[in-house]
Amino acid sequence: MSRGFRDADTTQALSDQAVATAIERILDRGRDEALAAASSPEDPRYGRCQDCGGGIGEERLEALPTAIRCVRCQAAWEQSHPY
Ligand SMILES: [Zn+2]
């Protein structure tokens, strides 16, 4: 008698799961692209400050391989983006 309800619940649970999986995949892809943008040594932007175009510095890249700004520009950026 309750079989119809069970099936409906199962379908709902499956579709919730499918939505969650799809969202996770989209978020994952966005993060991967953000990382790939700055952290691939083959990318011409790698190791270059995106603000001033100067070198970011090996030490800084070693500490933070995804750095996209040199220390000076990062400090300036953080001051203008306090949040
Ligand atoms: Zn810079």
Side-chain angles (χ1 to χ4, degrees):
M1 174 178 167
S2 65
R3 183 161 169 75
F5 288 109
R6 268 249 302 265
D7 282 353
D9 282 353
T10 306
T11 306
Q12 183 59 43
L14 277 177
S15 104
D16 282 352
Q17 181 63 39
V19 169
T21 305
I23 290 174
E24 254 174 58
R25 202 173 300 147
I26 289 165
L27 290 178
D28 268 1
R29 199 169 48 206
R31 195 178 50 209
D32 286 351
E33 277 170 12
L35 281 177
S39 64
S40 163
E42 276 136 50
D43 193 301
R45 290 167 295 178
Y46 179 77
R48 292 265 145 209
C49 171
Q50 72 162 25
D51 283 6
C52 71
I56 289 176
E58 255 175 58
E59 272 179 42
R60 178 159 162 76
L61 278 173
E62 255 172 54
L64 188 67
T66 57
I68 53 172
R69 290 180 185 86
C70 67
V71 178
R72 231 172 38 189
C73 292
Q74 184 66 40
W77 186 88
E78 274 170 22
Q79 276 202 333
S80 58
H81 295 77
Y83 306 106

